[in-house]
């Protein structure tokens, strides 16, 4: 085995945001020298990694030259220059997740086609190279309102996804490559994180459930374990395993799924990295997702994915109406409550809906955790000075 | 409340060793800007804190000038220049733990006298300004072999403590200020960490037990919870609370105690900071000792000190016969076992008995954890390349 710990081994990471920052906690714990590339000199990782490089993650030369300086390369964001990764890999650099996986996942149309080709359950879809093609399809009654439109490229956190109910909605869409899906009513939105290392050891985390705000249609709580039937949970973990196997994936793969009214599991999309839906694992799991990511890409034995206690995660996003130097109002109130841990991502300025941190609530009793989560949600507010 | 998070507030820490490094995990989690002073430019904290200053912790000017640059000052090692702290405090700087507490704790004779004055149970002792005084006492049959000798100043991890059984032992002692104690047979060595904030909120962690190697008389395992009677545990927590109250302490206080054959609790000594006996808390407790230290010195509400699961800590010290670039032999073997988390302190070179890291073992069942701990201890070895 290679000697990664307190050694001259250099781990390169593309992206220096909050996911990278939480990964750094683990590289520090194991003393793995970590070099980070990010476009923003004030990225959350900038001050606390061993070496920080500023540069454009989508620029071929920047990514290529960065890759030449490290011993193994990984990502914390998937929107990176894949051509550079292909060249680095051809020249012998180990890159996890694999560039060919990233290329498929980067494009939602390619991702959906991949599921279809590999017999992975997913909502039926159509693929259009341009918006004009989609309009043409509508005019010819091939598709009908309502439907779900998704940009093929760089959709992120709900951007790049829209429910199209009218001509006006259709006219307002961006013009580029896209897919459409039937609007399928679902009971639950679930996610399963899969870890797999090079030698093929594979493990799934328990199923988590996104609980939505009844009106705002925004995820309010990520709840682990999901409050679903054991049989559905088993099926969801099996589907997630199947996706990771199909990709021959190495690293962490977050599989987002729908549980339909008929208890079918449909894959929505995947993220080839640590994921918001796994943040609860820092406090709740035997092995948190960030440590597990390291274990998987370094071909170390995978850790126990089960939970010590139930966990719920609440995102801390900038409140509407506030832009400027951030203040976490009432944070001392939530610190009074047992099992509450805030994570502050290190962004100095807030703006509406910016992801500024998260709070984890753990408890032996999931119902008690759920009550505390609501209390947390109603108490802390991310505002500006 | 002051705004500590993602703000211009600067936390200063005297000492940049492994305790500081684990504290940094928590300051990063909460985005508290942290400035560290240490004499060694390759200290475990040097690369990963917001600002690192190199300088002698025992030098008045160095400590004073460092203190002038921060908003609140704390320590991760108690051997620092207290005169500088007194001046900084007089000039208005908030320092926790309080310099007056540090002054007492730095000197074992003053510490013992403090316990006596405050009616805190401790082994009877004698105090000598010089070794010559002690010899004189022996020659006049005031004390008899065997007894425990302790250097009054800067004793650390068993250095500065010796069981004196003969004239030869007595002759080999250092010449400075010391105390002697009766050699009291004890059943268990226990420790309790107390956290207290400025407003007087106070909490104890569960009692931990040091399990010694049957022959080597070296602590092998720190076990939480201690496998002792509930009544003894209750008494130990009460004694620890009494010590913290007597000091009017702010911060974390680790109270080391003996459980005598008669189930008396005697205070051995205290450490005014996070402590090796609390490392298990990172994986096992609702609030780990490093986050709790921050909560206490920042006068935030204290977190839940209870455990999610049982925890055992094994120190990783340099194996005998190896000096040089460190290698953690068989680390991949211990990573295969559920509930095992290594912590590597970031020291690049090993030497015999140097503290290089620790491993935490957690499990719902303490007996199972104990078995795994032994397996870990027998498997991993800290050697040189």
């Amino acid at each position: 085995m290679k000697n990664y710990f307190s050694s001259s081994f250099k781990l390169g990471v593309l992206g220096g945001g909050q996911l990278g920052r939480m990964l750094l906690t683990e590289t520090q714990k194991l003393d793995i020298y970590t070099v980070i590339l990010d476009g923003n000199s004030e990225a959350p990782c900038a001050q606390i990694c061993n070496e920080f490089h500023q540069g454009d993650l989508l620029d071929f030369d920047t990514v290529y030259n960065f890759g030449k300086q490290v011993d193994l390369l990984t990502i914390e964001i998937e929107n990176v220059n894949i051509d550079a990764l292909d060249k680095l890999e051809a020249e012998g650099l180990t890159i996890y997740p694999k560039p060919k996986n990233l290329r498929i996942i980067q494009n939602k149309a390619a991702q959906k086609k991949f599921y279809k080709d590999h017999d992975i359950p997913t909502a039926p879809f159509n693929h259009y190279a341009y918006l004009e093609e989609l309009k043409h399809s509508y005019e010819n009654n091939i598709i009908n309102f309502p439907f779900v439109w998704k940009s093929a490229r760089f959709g992120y956190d709900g951007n790049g996804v829209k429910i199209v109910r009218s001509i006006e909605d259709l006219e307002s869409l961006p013009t580029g490559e896209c897919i459409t899906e039937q609007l399928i009513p679902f009971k639950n939105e679930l996610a399963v994180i899969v870890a797999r290392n090079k030698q093929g050891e594979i493990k799934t985390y328990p199923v988590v459930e996104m609980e939505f705000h009844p009106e705002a249609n925004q995820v309010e709580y990520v709840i682990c374990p999901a409050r679903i039937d054991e049989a559905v949970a088993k099926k969801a973990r099996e589907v997630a395993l199947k996706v990771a196997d199909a990709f021959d994936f190495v690293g962490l793969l977050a599989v987002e799924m729908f549980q339909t009214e008929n208890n079918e599991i449909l894959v929505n999309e995947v993220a080839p990295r640590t994921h918001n839906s796994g943040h609860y694992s820092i406090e709740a799991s035997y092995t948190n997702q960030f440590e597990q990511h390291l274990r998987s890409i370094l071909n170390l034995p995978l850790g126990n994915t089960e939970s010590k206690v139930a966990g719920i995660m609440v995102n801390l996003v900038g409140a509407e109406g506030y832009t400027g130097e951030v203040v976490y109002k009432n944070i001392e109130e939530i610190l009074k409550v047992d099992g509450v841990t805030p994570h502050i991502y290190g962004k100095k300025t807030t703006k509406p809906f910016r992801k500024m941190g998260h709070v984890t609530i753990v408890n032996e009793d999931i119902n008690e955790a759920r009550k505390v989560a609501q209390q947390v949600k109603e108490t802390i507010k991310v505002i500006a000075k």
Side-chain angles (χ1 to χ4, degrees), chain A residues 127-174:
Chain A
H127 175 207
Y128 305 97
Y130 303 97
L131 185 64
E132 282 309 311
E133 280 188 18
L134 165 56
K135 284 184 183 167
H136 193 257
S137 202
Y138 170 75
E139 284 153 12
N140 290 285
N141 286 317
I142 296 167
I143 64 165
N144 302 301
F145 299 137
F147 60 81
V148 180
W149 167 92
K150 292 180 179 177
S151 170
R153 306 205 139 258
F154 295 10
Y156 221 176
D157 288 336
N159 293 323
V161 178
K162 190 160 185 164
I163 299 177
V164 177
R165 302 180 189 277
S166 66
I167 294 284
E168 290 69 39
D169 285 350
L170 185 58
E171 290 295 339
S172 71
L173 293 172

Side-chain angles (χ1 to χ4, degrees), chain A residues 231-248:
Chain A
V232 176
K234 188 162 174 281
K235 199 194 284 183
R237 287 174 94 152
E238 283 165 1
V239 168
L241 276 177
K242 187 169 177 182
V243 177
D245 268 335
F247 276 117
D248 192 29

Side-chain angles (χ1 to χ4, degrees), chain A residues 45 49 108 143 148 156 181 196 216 224 328 356:
Chain A
C45 290
C49 56
K108 285 219 177 106
I143 64 165
V148 180
Y156 221 176
E181 287 178 359
R196 190 170 174 280
C224 181
Y328 295 90
M356 301 296 289

Side-chain angles (χ1 to χ4, degrees), chain A residues 51-327:
Chain A
E51 233 179 88
F52 182 75
H53 297 225
Q54 193 184 352
D56 184 353
L57 295 170
L58 292 167
D59 180 64
F60 180 93
D61 289 339
T62 304
V63 171
Y64 176 77
N65 291 330
F66 179 79
K68 292 309 264 185
Q69 298 171 62
V70 302
D71 297 306
L72 190 150
L73 190 57
T74 189
I75 56 148
E76 63 104 55
I77 184 170
E78 58 272 35
N79 298 334
V80 299
N81 190 297
I82 311 279
D83 292 338
L85 298 188
D86 282 340
K87 185 167 159 70
L88 287 163
E89 193 178 51
E91 289 172 7
L93 184 65
T94 304
I95 305 174
Y96 294 129
K98 295 169 194 161
K100 68 172 183 186
N101 290 164
L102 290 179
R103 197 178 282 283
I104 292 167
I105 292 165
Q106 262 194 2
N107 184 298
K108 285 219 177 106
Q111 215 185 109
K112 290 288 281 194
K113 188 169 176 306
F114 182 87
Y115 300 144
K116 211 175 145 190
D117 291 349
H118 290 82
D119 212 18
I120 289 160
T122 192
F125 73 104
N126 290 299
H127 175 207
Y128 305 97
Y130 303 97
L131 185 64
E132 282 309 311
E133 280 188 18
L134 165 56
K135 284 184 183 167
H136 193 257
S137 202
Y138 170 75
E139 284 153 12
N140 290 285
N141 286 317
I142 296 167
I143 64 165
N144 302 301
F145 299 137
F147 60 81
V148 180
W149 167 92
K150 292 180 179 177
S151 170
R153 306 205 139 258
F154 295 10
Y156 221 176
D157 288 336
N159 293 323
V161 178
K162 190 160 185 164
I163 299 177
V164 177
R165 302 180 189 277
S166 66
I167 294 284
E168 290 69 39
D169 285 350
L170 185 58
E171 290 295 339
S172 71
L173 293 172
T175 56
E177 186 185 5
C178 63
I179 59 169
T180 61
E181 287 178 359
Q182 265 180 268
L183 187 59
I184 293 178
F186 58 85
K187 274 202 272 194
N188 279 306
E189 200 167 326
L190 308 173
V192 171
I193 292 175
V194 189
R196 190 170 174 280
N197 66 15
K198 187 189 168 194
Q199 73 194 56
E201 190 187 0
I202 189 164
K203 287 191 179 181
T204 56
Y205 277 84
V207 185
V208 302
E209 162 198 355
M210 319 318 175
E211 185 181 327
F212 283 75
H213 186 281
E215 287 111 47
N217 197 37
Q218 224 186 8
V219 177
E220 281 205 290
Y221 308 107
V222 175
I223 299 174
C224 181
R227 296 162 298 179
I228 56 174
D229 281 357
E230 194 46 55
V232 176
K234 188 162 174 281
K235 199 194 284 183
R237 287 174 94 152
E238 283 165 1
V239 168
L241 276 177
K242 187 169 177 182
V243 177
D245 268 335
F247 276 117
D248 192 29
F249 200 81
V250 174
L252 236 60
L253 187 72
V255 183
E256 297 184 50
M257 292 170 281
F258 298 118
Q259 175 190 0
T260 68
E261 302 287 355
N262 310 324
N263 291 328
E264 268 187 293
I265 295 292
L266 299 179
V267 172
N268 177 25
E269 61 180 45
V270 300
R273 52 169 167 77
T274 58
H275 193 248
N276 194 264
S277 68
H279 288 353
Y280 79 90
S281 67
I282 298 174
E283 283 80 16
S285 305
Y286 282 95
T287 311
N288 74 56
Q289 65 165 342
F290 300 96
E291 179 182 334
Q292 197 77 290
H293 179 70
L294 289 176
R295 287 175 180 243
S296 62
I297 63 174
L298 300 177
N299 202 23
L300 294 168
L302 300 181
N304 184 355
T305 55
E306 296 304 308
S307 296
K308 300 167 195 166
V309 281
I312 300 187
M313 198 248 350
V314 176
N315 284 314
L316 289 180
V317 300
E320 275 188 274
Y322 296 92
T323 298
E325 266 183 75
V326 66
V327 174

